[in-house]
Amino acid sequence: AQRVTQPEKLLSVFKGAPVELKCNYSYSGSPELFWYVQYSRQRLQLLLRHISRESIKGFTADLNKGETSFHLKKPFAQEEDSAMYYCALGGSGNTPLVFGKGTRLSVIA
Amino acid sequence: DAMVIQNPRYQVTQFGKPVTLSCSQTLNHNVMYWYQQKSSQAPKLLFHYYDKDFNNEADTPDNFQSRRPNTSFCFLDIRSPGLGDAAMYLCATSTIRGGGNEQFFGPGTRLTVL
């Protein structure tokens, strides 16, 4: 079965500090991993996906199949990064997306 | 802008009184999804349509039904809402089926059951 674990419900960091939002997954097949973000009063939207291997808004995430992790990182947090972040796992074929419970990031000025 | 629209944004209903939530999209995507999200929990997939092909998740209660009369619109019907059905309901779309594809979300409808 597919499962996504985000161990932290809330993460508070100071502006300019590094950020790491943890995500671990369980899936027997070849995973597709995503980070979705929801800013205050806005809809859920895609932040980045592992196959793109790109940096969005300074965030990166590397898929580590050995550790079954897809942690989201940013070297210097900004106040506008404060939001709810969801890690999501997609499988092959028609397997639907499974979301983690989310981590609320609060960046303190 | 092409987008996913949900109406109403807030819906209040009484225990046992049927309610319908609406979703429309201008993206012309083949797939439309309905998720239920309760406070501090992950969005939970209820069902999805691939074109007119309806796919129900195994643990979605029979109380929840859906209709997709055309590509642009999809409805969520809750036949007899219980207090436990109070939640945010999210509609999403994607171009093709499968969790490997980006989903575009609407703003959600917050349902309150009195």
Side-chain angles (χ1 to χ4, degrees), chain A residues 44-57:
Chain A
L44 197 58
Q45 59 187 292
L46 180 67
L47 179 63
L48 54 79
R49 56 196 302 177
H50 89 272
I51 60 170
S52 300
R53 293 182 156 273
E54 56 192 344
S55 173
I56 304 291
K57 299 185 178 183

Side-chain angles (χ1 to χ4, degrees), chain A residues 12-80:
Chain A
S12 295
V13 301
F14 286 103
K15 178 181 172 182
V19 172
E20 184 178 62
L21 299 169
K22 290 184 168 37
C23 172
N24 287 91
Y25 68 90
S26 174
Y27 183 57
S28 57
S30 183
E32 297 267 3
L33 274 298
F34 304 82
W35 278 98
Y36 280 80
V37 61
Q38 188 167 27
Y39 300 102
S40 179
R41 299 177 188 273
Q42 294 188 29
R43 65 191 65 202
L44 197 58
Q45 59 187 292
L46 180 67
L47 179 63
L48 54 79
R49 56 196 302 177
H50 89 272
I51 60 170
S52 300
R53 293 182 156 273
E54 56 192 344
S55 173
I56 304 291
K57 299 185 178 183
F59 284 98
T60 59
D62 291 316
L63 177 61
N64 186 323
K65 290 187 177 181
E67 296 183 358
T68 59
S69 69
F70 187 58
H71 303 326
L72 183 67
K73 299 177 184 179
K74 184 170 182 176
F76 308 103
Q78 303 298 314
E79 288 179 76
E80 55 265 30

Side-chain angles (χ1 to χ4, degrees), chain B residues 2-60:
Chain B
M3 57 197 305
V4 181
I5 301 159
Q6 289 187 246
N7 286 305
R9 295 290 306 275
Y10 300 90
Q11 176 72 58
V12 180
T13 190
Q14 290 180 330
F15 183 93
K17 186 174 181 183
V19 67
T20 294
L21 309 182
S22 168
C23 177
S24 63
Q25 54 129 341
T26 58
L27 297 162
N28 204 32
H29 283 172
N30 294 96
V31 194
M32 295 186 78
Y33 308 81
W34 279 105
Y35 290 87
Q36 179 192 65
Q37 186 176 26
K38 296 188 176 180
S39 181
S40 301
Q41 294 187 26
K44 178 181 177 298
L45 184 64
L46 295 173
F47 25 59
H48 74 275
Y49 273 96
Y50 177 64
D51 291 331
K52 288 187 175 294
D53 180 25
F54 177 70
N55 298 268
N56 202 27
E57 292 302 298
D59 56 355
T60 298

